Amino acid sequence: MATKQRGRPRSFDRETALEKALRTFWEQGYETTSVSDLTRELGIGAPSLYAAFGDKRTLFAEVLQRYAVSYGAFGARAMDEEPTARAGVERMLREAAAEYTDPSHPHGCLVIHAAVNCATPEVEQTLRDQRNANIASFEDRIKAAVASGELPRDTDAAALARYVGAVLQGLSQQSRDGATREELEAVAEMSMRAWPASEPVGSTH
């Protein structure tokens, strides 16, 4: 008697399969990952893949959500938990150096790497929107730091936020090119030298 589960092995575990899909996209990028790559890595047939996740683009959207709350969560966590914008950015860059070179998973950032050679407009736009949203969140935090007096009033929040985003993207690419954690930590430390000095206490200008 046919059921909705037909074609899916009884041993199929959706969470395990989703993790394998995440790592496949992370390693290969979106465009160069084929459905056959996914079925091979997940150990399931195409009908089971489509039944569980929909098409490749739908699966990738779910992968992005999973990445954001797992491997990619360190940035938002650092910015939320640290008392100052500077401390948040410094921690985020330091943790990026560790996360992007962790030998237990593909190097770099999935959101950055998956966009390389991406020829699917909808996916390319989704990834661009996510990166721009990250930069916008940096800018909001920097503006709050200016308003509170942590940073000088003439700080260009938009430029500083984009600078932080550029450093993060650079760390991701260099990790893919073989840079070590220590080398990336040195880059993170050097990049913080560009951070504006705090407003002197009692400053009136």
Side-chain angles (χ1 to χ4, degrees), residues 134-170:
N134 288 339
I135 292 174
S137 71
F138 301 157
E139 184 175 350
D140 288 343
R141 182 65 189 275
I142 291 166
K143 284 179 177 178
V146 172
S148 71
E150 177 198 333
L151 291 174
R153 282 186 286 276
D154 62 353
T155 298
D156 188 333
L160 186 55
R162 196 160 290 281
Y163 170 76
V164 172
V167 173
L168 269 177
Q169 291 174 22

Side-chain angles (χ1 to χ4, degrees), residues 164-200:
V164 172
V167 173
L168 269 177
Q169 291 174 22
L171 293 178
S172 175
Q173 183 56 53
Q174 291 198 15
S175 73
R176 301 282 301 193
D177 291 341
T180 65
R181 173 178 177 174
E182 291 72 22
E183 288 171 332
L184 296 186
E185 285 176 340
V187 172
E189 181 179 350
M190 185 173 291
S191 72
M192 291 307 298
R193 297 177 190 172
W195 194 262
S198 299
E199 280 276 62

Side-chain angles (χ1 to χ4, degrees), residues 1 4 9 17-18 47 50 52 54 63 68 87 97 127 132 139 155 171-172 201:
M1 183 175 180
K4 290 184 179 180
L18 184 59
Y50 293 131
V63 158
L127 294 169
N132 285 336
E139 184 175 350
T155 298
L171 293 178
S172 175
V201 176

Side-chain angles (χ1 to χ4, degrees), residues 69-185:
V69 299
S70 54
Y71 305 103
F74 67 90
R77 187 166 56 240
M79 298 298 283
D80 288 343
E81 294 177 359
E82 294 301 320
T84 65
R86 181 192 175 94
V89 168
E90 190 168 16
R91 172 179 159 185
M92 176 176 63
L93 295 180
R94 188 173 64 249
E95 292 188 3
E99 186 67 40
Y100 291 170
T101 57
D102 188 332
S104 70
H105 56 64
H107 285 180
C109 171
L110 168 66
V111 178
I112 295 170
H113 180 62
V116 176
N117 297 325
C118 184
T120 304
E122 298 85 354
V123 173
E124 187 177 24
Q125 186 63 49
T126 295
L127 294 169
R128 183 184 301 114
D129 288 346
Q130 191 160 337
R131 292 192 300 272
N132 285 336
N134 288 339
I135 292 174
S137 71
F138 301 157
E139 184 175 350
D140 288 343
R141 182 65 189 275
I142 291 166
K143 284 179 177 178
V146 172
S148 71
E150 177 198 333
L151 291 174
R153 282 186 286 276
D154 62 353
T155 298
D156 188 333
L160 186 55
R162 196 160 290 281
Y163 170 76
V164 172
V167 173
L168 269 177
Q169 291 174 22
L171 293 178
S172 175
Q173 183 56 53
Q174 291 198 15
S175 73
R176 301 282 301 193
D177 291 341
T180 65
R181 173 178 177 174
E182 291 72 22
E183 288 171 332
L184 296 186
E185 285 176 340

Side-chain angles (χ1 to χ4, degrees), residues 24-39:
T24 302
F25 282 123
W26 195 351
E27 182 61 45
Q28 299 180 195
Y30 177 80
E31 206 65 40
T32 56
T33 297
S34 66
V35 171
S36 60
D37 290 333
L38 292 167
T39 56

